[in-house]
Amino acid sequence: MKFLILVFAYISCFLLNATQSNAQSIQKISGKVINSNNELMMGTATVLSVQDSTIIKQLDFFDGVFQLSDINQKEILLKLNAAEFADRYLSVKYEGKENVDLGPIIVIQNQLNEVIIKSQPSLIKYGANGNIDVNVNGTVLATSSSVNELLGRVPNVTVADGEISVIGKGEAIIYLNGVLINYDRFAAIPVSQIQKIEVISNPSSRYDAEGKAVINIVTKQNVESGVIGTASQHVSVSKFGGTSYNSLFDFSYSKGKFSFISNYGLQLGRNRELLYTTRTRPNPDEYIKSELTTDWKRRFNNYSNFGVGLQYSFNAANYISLAYSGNVNDLGGITKSTNTIENSFGSSFYATDVDRNDVLLNQFVNLNYNRETDQKGSTLFIGSQFSNYNLTIGDQIKENSFVEETDLERYLKNNVGSRINIIAVQADYTKKIDEKTKLETGAKISYATIKSGTAFLISDDNLDFELDEKLSSDFKYNEKIVAAYFNYVRTWNDNFNFSLGVRAEKTNYNLFTNANKVQEFEKSYSNLFPNALLNFDFSDDWKVHFSYAARITRPRYQALNPYVVYQDPFTTIEGNPNLVPEKTHAFEIGTMYKKFDFKIGYTYKIDPISAAALRGDTPNSYVLRALNLEKGHTFFSSLSRSFNVKWWNSTNTMSITWQKSVDNFYAFEFSPVKPQFYLYSNNTFTITNLFKLQLLAWYLSDRSYGLGSENSRSTVTLGIERNFFGDTLKLNFSANDIFHKFMVSGDYNVGQTQIYYHRTYTSNYFKLIATYNFGNSKKTTYKKSEIEQSENNRAR
């Protein structure tokens, strides 16, 4: 903390000096693109850095006219490109005018038989504020079969056990084109429609206060009149998990101001996950050792996602859109569990087979309106979203036990019905006061209702079943969140800009459950979440930023629901209705020097949400449950460097994280803290006119966080890709996690029990992808406009 205070004092002194500077720069650039016949053209305008050609701003234009704002550069390189005309580059310098109007720009149209030579797309762009933009389209990331697999390949992002985290920050919330979504909606996004991933490690107050970081997924959209589509077939073969098939189809049509987009994906086949756990109580008075193996052999009966969307664009900045999407997860297969229990009285053996019959239907409706309210670029966004989740479980369970040389059988039925409805409405207004100042303000209200019921039936002969009152329960939960925010953004001069903001949220909820006993209560709490971001430009090659953000992590709905998820006769997973939100205070200092990006940061956590296996009501039983620890501390430091030459594109990151968790309630055993190292390298080698070679590798070392430890894990992926018939047909073959080292394992001691776990996934597989592109439209680009890319990053 002393170090942070000294650094902040230095920054404050620099701020006083920076305010005296009168340097000026280009803030806005505009123009009109025409051909030699004075016809308006459609395409993309890109502002590039003159030092390293990194993208500063990018915008698609429909009617020849483009305008890019918030450039804040003394000199830039403007690139105009489209399939219809040859790339045009213009060097623009500041010459006393902040707003530069280039007027008509004549481009040379391509002939139909011309060959367009495309450069290798860059994977990543580092922002001066500590955020990164990761390009997906045209990179190795685009070969992912799911968006979950894609994020696991993004630098500084880890995916494990259904949690998506940013290195050094923690669990992230997911946005889709600036609108908050949950994990189920996220899983339904087709990879083929994703243009880029924005990893926002220092979110402003306009983002929802939930989560410790933000990942915004930006999709592509057709900008030319006509039809465009892709059909893709993925086949993955794994010795460990089996074979799976992914069929993906995208279709879009655009004419004039109307555009239509649709997608459908279907996954069939098999998948596997293996968990080995030991639980040991060494005390002779209550000695027990349990060796538990759970083998999920999943069968995808119908894993599909679908979506349709319609948009009417009044012009490049004003539009109204309506979208419907969803996904169906029809899961079958067998879950086999074996549990050998040894105690002072002898040993016993238990085996369980669960015939899975789980069906999940998720549906989403979005209605959005965006309008530019004045010539300065002020915008109003109004968005609404309805989400519906329906889960049905009808598992058939057979238990076999061998105790004291006696064989016993028991049959169970686990019937679960659950429905979640969420309605959210938000309004965001950005007021451009002048070229250097803008004020962002907005409000949001959301309602969530959850109802679920669990009926556990038990029989000794598989004929007559009786309801088990102890394992059966009902759960009801209602939540209302009202939020408002403002964010003040100011470019003081060429050397300094800042943003200051605060978000206020009030949460009301009531909960009812009759699991174990009737619990019914109602709670309300309010929070303020301030944030600050200071950016300093010492030179074109050296930039520094400082940020502070207060965040909150509310418990997941499922974590609050105490209904029983059966795993074996002595192991259940149950929610905890007494969970409270986790609060964090995060500080970060970062610098960009030439092409190096360096960060250090500290996060303080209050009531951090964790999980553990706690002793149940009987001597042999354990309950896996989410819980609140007392507090936590995290320090991290990272260094990144990218290379981009004609034939080689490489992104490399290394970081170190020191994390300490503290708790004095659940009787965890404390252990010395050990830092964790993270190494990442993503490389694409382009062999001109032949193919691309792709190499992706990352490594997470062992770590100890005070209350437990985790073992290292890593992955190495190789791929080769070639286009045929121009860009019409693309074939990609990859070997993922070649050495099968992506395994999550570790240990901890709680309540006098030593617990070790080792989880293996279907991460090692060979995959062949064939993608066919069709249509009479010539290109796709990412979502609508500059405003929606960089301005309308919506809060929840």
Side-chain angles (χ1 to χ4, degrees), residues 184 187-188 264-268 299-307 324-331 358-364 388 390-391:
D184 292 301
Y264 179 75
L266 174 64
Q267 180 179 1
L268 301 172
R299 182 182 67 250
F300 300 125
N301 297 326
N302 177 7
Y303 252 53
S304 59
N305 61 76
F306 50 86
Y324 169 74
S325 60
N327 61 296
V328 176
N329 295 346
D330 186 348
L331 181 66
D358 305 350
V359 179
L360 176 65
L361 170 63
N362 301 325
Q363 302 176 88
F364 315 96
N388 171 252
N390 296 277
L391 172 65

Side-chain angles (χ1 to χ4, degrees), residues 633-647:
H633 307 272
T634 302
F635 292 89
F636 81 94
S637 176
S638 70
L639 177 66
S640 301
R641 175 69 161 91
S642 291
F643 305 89
N644 190 12
V645 296
K646 185 176 181 180
W647 58 275

Side-chain angles (χ1 to χ4, degrees), residues 18-62:
T19 55
Q20 300 175 6
S21 174
N22 295 318
Q24 302 295 311
S25 61
I26 300 171
Q27 296 297 319
K28 181 189 295 185
I29 189 167
S30 59
K32 182 170 67 172
V33 182
I34 59 176
N35 61 15
S36 57
N37 297 324
N38 204 33
E39 296 173 333
L40 297 174
M41 306 296 292
M42 292 188 293
T44 301
T46 307
V47 175
L48 303 171
S49 167
V50 295
Q51 280 78 32
D52 55 12
S53 297
T54 57
I55 298 175
I56 300 173
K57 291 287 181 179
Q58 195 169 44
L59 168 71
D60 304 313
F61 54 87
F62 298 86

Side-chain angles (χ1 to χ4, degrees), residues 476-663:
K476 296 180 182 179
Y477 181 85
N478 298 289
E479 179 185 83
K480 180 175 107 172
I481 300 177
V482 179
Y485 74 90
F486 81 87
N487 197 49
Y488 179 76
V489 182
R490 170 75 173 174
T491 299
W492 201 272
N493 53 44
D494 235 14
N495 302 106
F496 174 67
N497 64 81
F498 67 91
S499 69
L500 300 171
V502 65
R503 186 180 184 90
E505 293 188 353
K506 182 175 182 180
T507 304
N508 296 283
Y509 72 90
N510 59 74
L511 181 151
F512 166 84
T513 179
N514 59 3
N516 298 322
K517 63 178 181 178
V518 173
Q519 298 183 69
E520 188 172 8
F521 50 84
E522 184 174 341
K523 291 185 179 181
S524 176
Y525 56 90
S526 301
N527 298 101
L528 289 176
F529 304 98
N531 68 86
L533 175 65
L534 310 178
N535 288 318
F536 305 90
D537 292 350
F538 295 100
S539 68
D540 291 336
D541 290 334
W542 186 23
K543 306 177 189 299
V544 174
H545 75 268
F546 171 82
S547 69
Y548 162 75
R551 311 286 294 172
I552 190 172
T553 300
R554 298 181 180 89
R556 296 179 181 179
Y557 299 132
Q558 184 178 355
L560 292 169
N561 189 348
Y563 83 97
V564 174
V565 178
Y566 179 94
Q567 190 164 344
D568 68 61
F570 299 104
T571 308
T572 58
I573 303 172
E574 301 177 19
N576 181 2
N578 297 308
L579 283 176
V580 299
E582 171 186 341
K583 300 181 182 67
T584 61
H585 299 273
F587 304 83
E588 181 179 292
I589 301 171
T591 181
M592 290 180 60
Y593 181 71
K594 294 186 177 179
K595 293 186 178 182
F596 289 92
D597 182 71
F598 176 73
K599 302 176 190 175
I600 58 173
Y602 166 73
T603 300
Y604 176 65
K605 303 176 184 178
I606 304 170
D607 299 319
I609 296 175
S610 185
L614 305 177
R615 294 175 64 172
D617 297 332
T618 62
N620 294 342
S621 66
Y622 282 84
V623 178
L624 307 180
R625 176 180 287 129
L627 47 85
N628 288 107
L629 303 178
E630 184 179 333
K631 59 185 176 181
H633 307 272
T634 302
F635 292 89
F636 81 94
S637 176
S638 70
L639 177 66
S640 301
R641 175 69 161 91
S642 291
F643 305 89
N644 190 12
V645 296
K646 185 176 181 180
W647 58 275
W648 179 31
N649 185 307
S650 179
T651 298
N652 305 276
T653 296
M654 60 182 298
S655 70
I656 181 172
T657 302
W658 184 94
Q659 181 177 340
K660 180 180 180 180
S661 298
V662 179
D663 185 75

Side-chain angles (χ1 to χ4, degrees), residues 179-182 184-185 306 321-327 361-368 383-390 419-426 444-450:
V179 177
L180 182 72
I181 59 175
N182 75 353
D184 292 301
R185 175 68 183 93
F306 50 86
S321 64
L322 176 66
Y324 169 74
S325 60
N327 61 296
L361 170 63
N362 301 325
Q363 302 176 88
F364 315 96
V365 179
N366 291 81
L367 178 63
N368 298 326
S384 60
Q385 180 174 252
F386 172 73
S387 305
N388 171 252
Y389 308 87
N390 296 277
R419 171 173 291 187
I420 301 175
N421 291 323
I422 302 174
I423 299 175
V425 179
Q426 67 186 61
K444 180 183 177 181
I445 184 169
S446 66
Y447 294 90
T449 61
I450 298 93

Side-chain angles (χ1 to χ4, degrees), residues 138-152:
T139 70
V140 64
L141 304 183
T143 64
S144 305
S145 295
S146 67
V147 68
N148 198 70
E149 178 183 331
L150 187 156
L151 285 186

